[in-house]
Amino acid sequence: MRILLYNPDNGVTRNFMPHLWMFLLQALTPEGHEVVLIDGNAQPMDEAGIARFVREQNIGLVGIGAMTRMIAKAYRMADAIRAVGVPVVMGGPHVTEEADEALGRNGGPRHADAVALGEADETWPKIVEDAARGQLKDVYSPVDDFGQERKPSLKEYPAIPWDKINLDQFNLVPKMVKRTLQRISDGWGTFRIIPMESGRGCPYGCEFCTVTGFFGDSIRFRTNESVVNELLLLKARAKSEGGQIAVFFIDDNFAINIKRTKSLLRDIIAAGAQVHWVAQISANLLRDEELVDLIAASGGKWVFIGMESIDPTNLADVNKGFNKPGEYAAVLQRLAQRNVYAITSFIFGMDNDTVGVAERTLKEIRTWPAGLPIFGLLTPLPATPLYKRLEAAGRLTRPKHWQEFIPFEMAHTPLKMTIAEAHAEVKAGWATAYSPEAMAQAVDSLKDKPLGYRINIFIARMCFRGIYFPQMGPLSWLKLIYQNRRTISSLVKEGFSTWRGRPTNPVANGNLQTGVGAA
Ligand code: B12
Ligand code: SF4
């Protein structure tokens, strides 16, 4: 049987990285079946397009995975596939919480023939075999022989064949410049950001987050050896293609067990398996100097920190009181001293937020080392404690907000400002933090570092800006380049003079450390 695994886009923003679940389920598919992957972010498709694809490619089963914000598109695509007679199984965090919606048991239309609840590592092979026999069940739950929920161990993690998988759709280097860039330095003909997990689960239970409910509060880890082997495979592939690779460790809190993270990072270094990497780590765990040393030495370039707010009351409200705004600056300095920078994520529209929250937050940000701030709105995702609290308080304005995805639009009323004011705060956050002046300041703040760091922060900022501002077509890119022409021209001039005066051994000229991780 030919199986299509499909991840929808949200139609508005573009993900820079493919989804791990697709590669994982592909690796876990029983022998005798062929798996095709399509990520809507890399290969946009509409309903007619996917229906045609499954017919022409003789697909016998389609698996769709989606977050809440992509679910409306996922359902439309599933409907189109089912209309041409091909069964659809859906999985992921949204349908796990809203299985009745996907199966049409709540009075709405049915979108999926089957739903895989929770982690599907152990149920997927069974789903495939049932589908091949034409005997799909409605619901597949990860349970043990006694009917108790079972979280898969990651000790026997499947080897994802990174050396063989067709990754053409995930190359971030435009085709027209591929040949030229292949010849630069170690080669830039391909650049891919690859998701990898080293563990699952988070015990912190922040109120707005799905993770503790979905993956559980007991953390499970892969062996160091299996992570190291995966990195080596990816590194070898990039080298053989004259390209670059960066890894996003998608663990929700990569350093949740500091002792184990240190041991993994030491093993990566010992095996020479360093690639540029990004990971999510909460600020409280970055107090450890040795950990930060190891992050830098093992290839860590960017750390995503869920700061959420600079207001301790807000943090306590959402059960994230372990974040201490008073130590944010020190944490970021500690990273920057090792040339590791941070993606700092903030949520506006929290219960203690008032008008002016964006400017107050930006004022703090300006005192920190350059980084990539991102701003979102508090969103009640299904089945989270936040959703339940707001529902009980009658504060949900769009209780089924996912049925119509509108980016940066609240689904409940904040307590101390209006919905419109919260929207304006997010807009102000993005517009100010990514203005041409702010871009120039970020680049300038790294003037004591090799040029590669300045280029890196500039490119990363240009790309990150696209999370909020539509930046899809060539025209919007041209406009952006024009707005930032001064910074670009000073970087180009500097690059040219560095190149002209380069020493015979390029490694001695810190410019090879371009610190990729454009994540
Ligand atoms: C990496 C990541 C991202 C990446 C993008 C995703 C990517 N390309 O990988 C980035 C950083 C860009 C991102 C952004 C966002 N993310 Co995010 N992200 C994650 C993260 C940390 C890891 C995802 C992952 O790979 N997990 C590991 C794999 C193995 O797990 P999995 O995907 O759940 O798959 C398993 C099962 O669900 C199931 N399964 C999944 N799909 C399918 C399909 C089929 C057919 C079957 C059978 C089974 C199945 O089987 C898999 C194996 O067990 C998760 C948290 C988490 N730990 O999962 C949040 C998470 C998915 N993100 C979340 C959110 C909210 C967001 C944002 C909206 C945040 C924001 N406010 O901007 C944005 C939206 C981006 C967009 N495009 O619109 C939520 C989604 C909750 C929900 N109900 O939808 C999560 C769960 C985190 C949270 N805080 O609750 N994210
Ligand atoms: S620390 Fe991060 S992953 Fe863990 S519950 Fe909080 S937001 Fe979710």
Side-chain angles (χ1 to χ4, degrees):
M1 181 173 60
R2 292 195 91 199
I3 302 168
L4 168 65
L5 296 181
Y6 172 73
N7 200 103
D9 54 322
N10 66 29
V12 180
T13 52
R14 184 184 187 277
N15 263 356
F16 50 81
M17 170 177 84
H19 289 259
L20 179 60
W21 71 265
M22 301 175 120
F23 302 111
L24 197 54
L25 294 195
Q26 182 181 36
L28 290 165
T29 302
E31 275 185 27
H33 304 281
E34 190 194 342
V35 180
V36 184
L37 309 182
I38 295 187
D39 185 330
N41 291 285
Q43 293 187 57
M45 255 187 198
D46 61 9
E47 290 87 325
I50 202 153
R52 202 168 40 244
F53 183 88
V54 293
R55 266 200 323 262
E56 286 173 3
Q57 297 294 317
N58 199 20
I59 301 288
L61 174 69
V62 178
I64 303 184
M67 294 184 206
T68 294
R69 56 163 51 192
M70 283 81 162
I71 205 68
K73 169 95 186 252
Y75 287 155
R76 289 198 300 276
M77 298 300 258
D79 296 347
I81 296 162
R82 295 180 76 234
V84 294
V86 177
V88 171
V89 50
M90 295 185 79
H94 185 84
V95 296
T96 295
E97 310 304 352
E98 297 284 334
D100 286 350
E101 179 184 83
L103 292 168
R105 288 172 172 177
N106 63 352
R110 180 169 186 151
H111 305 287
D113 295 276
V115 160
L117 301 181
E119 295 173 57
D121 310 54
E122 289 173 0
T123 46
W124 176 245
K126 174 106 185 71
I127 294 171
V128 172
E129 306 218 301
D130 284 0
R133 284 198 310 271
Q135 291 175 1
L136 267 180
K137 296 185 191 59
D138 283 0
V139 177
Y140 289 84
S141 311
V143 288
D144 62 18
D145 295 343
F146 306 100
Q148 297 294 314
E149 189 192 3
R150 182 164 70 191
K151 300 276 180 211
S153 156
L154 301 187
K155 289 283 174 239
E156 301 291 325
Y157 200 78
I160 300 180
W162 290 116
D163 47 342
K164 298 191 191 79
I165 302 176
N166 181 344
L167 293 173
D168 288 350
Q169 64 180 312
F170 305 116
N171 187 7
L172 297 175
V173 175
K175 276 199 192 101
M176 55 199 271
V177 289
K178 191 176 162 182
R179 282 270 167 87
T180 321
L181 293 185
Q182 221 157 13
R183 290 192 287 265
I184 291 183
S185 183
D186 293 339
W188 280 87
T190 56
F191 174 53
R192 301 190 182 94
I193 304 178
I194 298 295
M196 185 184 291
E197 60 184 339
S198 83
R200 286 186 200 162
C202 178
Y204 288 168
C206 303
E207 197 195 28
F208 52 80
C209 181
T210 317
V211 169
T212 306
F214 187 88
F215 289 101
D217 53 8
S218 79
I219 308 140
R220 291 151 285 147
F221 296 118
R222 289 172 65 179
T223 61
N224 289 358
E225 194 190 359
S226 101
V227 177
V228 168
N229 287 343
E230 201 174 328
L231 287 169
L232 288 171
L233 209 56
L234 281 165
K235 203 172 168 176
R237 177 168 183 161
K239 191 166 180 214
S240 73
E241 287 178 349
Q244 304 288 325
I245 211 123
V247 162
F248 190 136
F249 283 111
I250 57 87
D251 306 36
D252 291 292
N253 211 335
F254 185 59
I256 191 71
N257 178 331
I258 292 193
K259 198 168 154 212
R260 173 261 167 193
T261 307
K262 286 182 181 173
S263 116
L264 172 62
L265 298 180
R266 282 192 196 103
D267 283 3
I268 290 174
I269 297 165
Q274 294 100 320
V275 297
H276 291 315
W277 60 261
V278 189
Q280 312 182 90
I281 304 179
S282 56
N284 57 327
L285 301 174
L286 292 164
R287 290 173 193 141
D288 189 310
E289 299 275 346
E290 190 189 26
L291 174 70
V292 184
D293 282 341
L294 286 166
I295 289 174
S298 62
K301 293 288 164 197
W302 290 98
V303 177
F304 182 107
I305 306 179
M307 291 186 161
E308 327 303 6
S309 178
I310 53 163
D311 175 354
T313 308
N314 270 334
L315 291 165
D317 281 350
V318 295
N319 201 28
K320 199 155 184 171
F322 58 86
N323 263 9
K324 305 288 177 211
E327 69 173 354
Y328 288 170
V331 162
L332 298 175
Q333 290 291 356
R334 193 169 298 128
L335 291 170
Q337 278 156 8
R338 278 103 172 156
N339 297 320
V340 180
Y341 295 93
I343 303 162
T344 50
S345 170
F346 295 94
I347 301 176
F348 293 159
M350 289 183 155
D351 281 354
N352 203 40
D353 276 346
T354 52
V355 171
V357 58
E359 187 42 42
R360 287 192 292 280
T361 310
L362 286 161
K363 207 170 152 202
E364 286 288 308
I365 292 175
R366 286 184 203 110
T367 67
W368 298 341
L372 298 172
I374 57 178
F375 309 94
L377 286 159
L378 189 62
T379 306
L381 292 167
T384 54
L386 173 71
Y387 191 97
K388 291 172 194 154
R389 172 165 72 85
L390 295 172
E391 187 179 39
R395 288 175 58 195
L396 294 176
T397 49
R398 297 190 296 135
K400 300 265 178 203
H401 53 89
W402 50 88
Q403 290 177 351
E404 189 199 359
F405 168 61
I406 316 176
F408 297 100
E409 173 106 15
M410 290 200 79
H412 74 280
T413 323
L415 275 187
K416 297 187 176 173
M417 54 181 164
T418 64
I419 288 180
E421 283 165 346
H423 292 172
E425 292 296 333
V426 167
K427 190 166 186 216
W430 281 103
T432 317
Y434 290 84
S435 67
E437 297 74 39
M439 299 282 231
Q441 269 162 19
V443 170
D444 193 51
S445 72
L446 298 179
K447 59 177 180 295
D448 300 333
K449 308 264 178 183
L451 173 66
Y453 288 97
R454 286 192 290 290
I455 297 178
N456 184 25
I457 194 117
F458 183 70
I459 294 179
R461 279 182 147 256
M462 292 280 268
C463 297
F464 255 64
R465 194 186 165 281
I467 299 175
Y468 186 82
F469 298 94
Q471 217 166 272
M472 304 290 264
L475 258 184
S476 48
W477 273 98
L478 279 178
K479 192 174 156 207
L480 185 61
I481 289 170
Y482 180 74
Q483 287 167 345
N484 287 280
R485 62 192 178 284
R486 285 203 182 84
T487 310
I488 295 172
S489 90
S490 78
L491 287 172
V492 170
K493 267 190 219 146
E494 196 185 335
F496 190 65
S497 48
T498 312
W499 177 75
R500 282 181 55 178
R502 73 196 189 283
T504 352
N505 172 9
V507 179
N509 168 330
N511 289 335
L512 279 192
Q513 311 167 25
T514 38
V516 183

